[in-house]
Amino acid sequence: MKSLVVDSSSGGTGSGGSTEDIIARSGSDAKVTWIDTVKFVVNTITHVLIGFVFIYTIWVCWKYGLEQIFAWHVVLCMTGFNLLMAEAILLFYSGNTWSQVMLHPQRRTVHWILQVVGSLCVIVGIALEYYWRDINNKLHFHDTHSILGLVALILMLLSMTNGVGALFSVELRRKIKPVYMKLGHQFVGLCCFVIGMAALVLGFDKKIFRNNSTPEMRTTLQVFTVLVILTSSLGVIRAILSQLKTLFR
């Protein structure tokens, strides 16, 4: 197993010449430490939890009826937050197995593709929910679940806007320091992800899950989702701390 000495979440130079890329290109086999093993185990468990929650949710929606508009709200929001955005965040974690073979520019490209597709899923999912509630004369954004979803949507749009700046931060160097753009994108993106996932946690108590699952399974889904939030955020938190050190150096 190859282990990158420098965490890719630190951001690099953005020009393909970051330290971790140089190490990756050197092809040297670093000694695997117990920390690398722990990272590998945690990352593997995280992917298993993501897959389990996603597949089970799809099964619940299938039982509920995929011809129902509301079912697609659940499917799309689960796909956007729990699957695509979680993987987009894990992409920059040094312990993430499937992205270790990528150089930093490649990870950055895959990251924004996953984020864009995930964001589109969430936007369409929330739009379908709004339409479904509208035609059924139901209140909009009336509970904690829906309010968190709305906040996550706003932060997501802000993160996407900020992400464009972070993507081209080198070109904007003369006007705004790249560290500000990257730090803002990472912080807003993390808040969006955490709040969006929190909305999913509350969503497991909705009628669609109550009628098509057991209380024990709903609790399991909530616990697994909370664990995904924690383990997926490790790399981003480390990146934010790294950016803060650079900022106040």
Side-chain angles (χ1 to χ4, degrees):
M1 180 188 301
K2 290 186 178 181
S3 174
L4 298 183
V5 176
V6 180
D7 192 340
S8 60
S9 62
S10 61
T13 63
S15 60
S18 60
T19 305
E20 67 269 23
D21 292 343
I22 296 174
I23 295 173
R25 285 194 294 265
S26 68
S28 59
D29 292 324
K31 183 178 179 180
V32 177
T33 65
W34 67 270
I35 296 180
D36 296 319
T37 303
V38 171
K39 285 183 178 181
F40 173 77
V41 172
V42 171
N43 183 254
T44 301
I45 293 175
T46 301
H47 287 299
V48 171
L49 297 181
I50 290 173
F52 179 86
V53 173
F54 176 74
I55 293 173
Y56 189 86
T57 298
I58 299 300
W59 180 74
V60 166
C61 291
W62 177 78
K63 286 184 64 179
Y64 176 77
L66 291 176
E67 71 279 1
Q68 302 292 329
I69 294 177
F70 181 75
W72 285 101
H73 161 71
V74 179
V75 169
L76 289 172
C77 289
M78 177 62 65
T79 301
F81 281 117
N82 181 73
L83 183 63
L84 298 178
M85 289 190 186
E87 290 296 341
I89 291 176
L90 284 169
L91 184 70
F92 286 104
Y93 178 51
S94 61
N96 192 49
T97 51
W98 67 268
S99 61
Q100 283 188 348
V101 296
M102 301 179 186
L103 300 181
H104 185 75
Q106 295 171 325
R107 287 194 291 270
R108 188 172 61 177
T109 299
V110 175
H111 171 77
W112 72 256
I113 291 175
L114 289 174
Q115 288 285 48
V116 168
V117 177
S119 297
L120 289 176
C121 287
V122 171
I123 292 172
V124 174
I126 292 179
L128 288 176
E129 165 70 356
Y130 190 93
Y131 172 74
W132 179 80
R133 300 192 74 84
D134 202 46
I135 62 177
N136 287 281
N137 296 317
K138 293 180 177 291
L139 294 175
H140 297 289
F141 309 112
H142 68 293
D143 60 2
T144 306
H145 164 75
S146 56
I147 292 174
L148 287 179
L150 178 61
V151 173
L153 175 63
I154 295 173
L155 290 175
M156 183 184 68
L157 296 175
L158 180 61
S159 178
M160 290 176 65
T161 303
N162 187 265
V164 174
L167 187 63
F168 299 102
S169 57
V170 176
E171 288 77 1
L172 297 174
R173 188 184 299 273
R174 294 182 180 180
K175 297 181 179 180
I176 305 175
K177 288 185 177 181
V179 65
Y180 291 124
M181 300 298 298
K182 293 178 181 178
L183 182 59
H185 176 64
Q186 290 164 351
F187 181 75
V188 175
L190 178 62
C191 291
C192 168
F193 174 71
V194 171
I195 294 175
M197 292 289 279
L200 295 185
V201 171
L202 296 179
F204 293 130
D205 285 328
K206 291 294 183 178
K207 187 176 180 180
I208 183 174
F209 285 94
R210 293 200 307 269
N211 291 348
N212 297 282
S213 184
T214 63
E216 294 77 15
M217 183 54 70
R218 294 200 304 273
T219 301
T220 300
L221 293 173
Q222 291 174 327
V223 171
F224 282 4
T225 303
V226 170
L227 290 175
V228 169
I229 295 174
L230 296 175
T231 55
S232 298
S233 301
L234 292 175
V236 184
I237 293 174
R238 182 174 180 180
I240 291 175
L241 294 177
S242 176
Q243 297 291 354
L244 288 174
K245 288 180 181 179
T246 302
L247 187 62
F248 294 104
R249 184 173 297 169

